[in-house]
Amino acid sequence: MAVTNIIVGERPQESNVIPIVPGMRTDVSGRQVRNVILLSLPDDEYSLIRPHLEAVDLPHHLVLHEPAEKLEYGYFLNEGMTSLVVLTSDGRSVEVGIVGREGVVGTPLAVGLHRSPYRAIMQISGSGLRMKAAVMEDTLLAAPTLRIALARYALVQGLQVAQIAACNRLHEIEQRLARWLLMCQDRVDSELLPLTHDFMAQMLGTGRPTVSLAAGILQRAGLIENLRGSVKILNRKSLEGAACECYGVIQHFNGGLGLK
């Protein structure tokens, strides 16, 4: 069936829609799109979904979805970073994955599922485009490139989750911290990461004193600088050398996703 014959949900008013400029990809308000998945789509598929993409600001600590709750939207980040977090009944949490502009938050929708086992929370503020879950599922029927891209990303994310689980169990905290800082920098494309030691401890599933000790080791080696409320990457190549093998494995999984 031709794409042009498929009507996907109710289309929003388009009287003020900014047309697509050749060589650029924008949302309906004219803001530039930086999400790698959206940039990878052919023009006909992007034109199909463009009216259904709602621009949203994504402030620090905004929860995009909770575990086991029905997914209302899929989110394509342009900037910022989302953490996928497992919560336990005693209130503890650990990060099992991260999403930046290379991917989408709400990957279960790509395979017809409507719930996620994780909390998705913005850990570095940014912005993006969201699409209603029902519209996304309907759109995938008419957008084969998007369907393949989302299914592939869902698989890569699953591999990332498994590797991080192994890393958290088997490797020393300074290796894990180096790996995690590199993964964060890959997604926000900045030397300065607005991350506190408290937050890093929570994400790595350990105590703050342990993270502060590991961060101090990396700082004395000249790899990072610990600032108030943030961490600055000073020597990325040496930081890669300090990370465990998991960073290289995850990077191999991420090949072609638009990351470093």
Side-chain angles (χ1 to χ4, degrees), residues 39-252:
L39 291 175
S40 73
L41 299 180
D43 287 344
D44 59 338
E45 290 192 20
Y46 184 69
S47 295
L48 177 69
I49 69 171
R50 188 177 184 237
H52 305 286
L53 294 170
E54 177 189 357
V56 287
D57 291 325
L58 302 170
H60 183 231
H61 279 176
L62 175 68
V63 175
L64 304 184
H65 65 69
E66 292 283 12
E69 290 185 356
K70 188 173 182 179
L71 297 173
E72 296 184 5
Y73 296 94
Y75 292 84
F76 298 89
L77 271 63
N78 284 326
E79 299 93 17
M81 190 185 80
T82 305
S83 289
L84 304 179
V85 179
V86 170
L87 306 173
T88 62
S89 59
D90 61 2
R92 292 182 295 173
S93 63
V94 64
E95 183 184 73
V96 295
I98 57 179
V99 182
R101 66 184 183 90
E102 84 290 348
V104 61
V105 179
T107 49
L109 297 171
V111 291
L113 301 177
H114 302 100
R115 288 173 172 78
S116 169
Y118 316 123
R119 168 183 285 174
I121 182 170
M122 292 300 299
Q123 298 294 7
I124 297 179
S125 62
S127 64
L129 298 159
R130 70 181 185 181
M131 182 187 292
K132 290 182 179 179
V135 174
M136 179 182 286
E137 290 185 287
D138 289 344
T139 302
L140 292 178
L141 300 174
T145 305
L146 177 60
R147 183 170 66 248
I148 291 170
L150 292 185
R152 179 173 180 270
Y153 182 72
L155 175 60
V156 169
Q157 191 176 83
L159 295 172
Q160 180 193 106
V161 168
Q163 192 69 35
I164 290 175
C167 183
N168 286 341
R169 173 65 179 85
L170 299 174
H171 293 135
E172 299 297 329
I173 182 61
E174 58 266 27
Q175 294 178 305
R176 292 163 51 202
L177 178 59
R179 183 265 302 164
W180 187 73
L181 290 172
L182 290 165
M183 291 178 64
C184 292
Q185 188 185 34
D186 288 344
R187 285 156 178 82
V188 301
D189 197 22
S190 173
E191 295 179 348
L192 190 64
L193 305 175
L195 306 167
T196 66
H197 286 192
D198 281 335
F199 164 66
M200 290 188 283
Q202 184 181 14
M203 293 300 98
L204 292 170
T206 189
R208 186 187 186 284
T210 302
V211 164
S212 295
L213 180 62
I217 292 172
L218 296 179
Q219 177 169 272
R220 287 191 294 275
L223 310 185
I224 66 172
E225 183 180 3
N226 293 298
L227 305 171
R228 184 175 179 85
S230 62
V231 175
K232 185 176 183 179
I233 307 295
L234 299 178
N235 189 327
R236 181 183 169 91
K237 185 174 181 179
S238 294
L239 190 61
E240 290 177 0
C244 57
E245 64 195 74
C246 295
Y247 179 67
V249 173
I250 291 171
Q251 284 298 85
H252 179 70

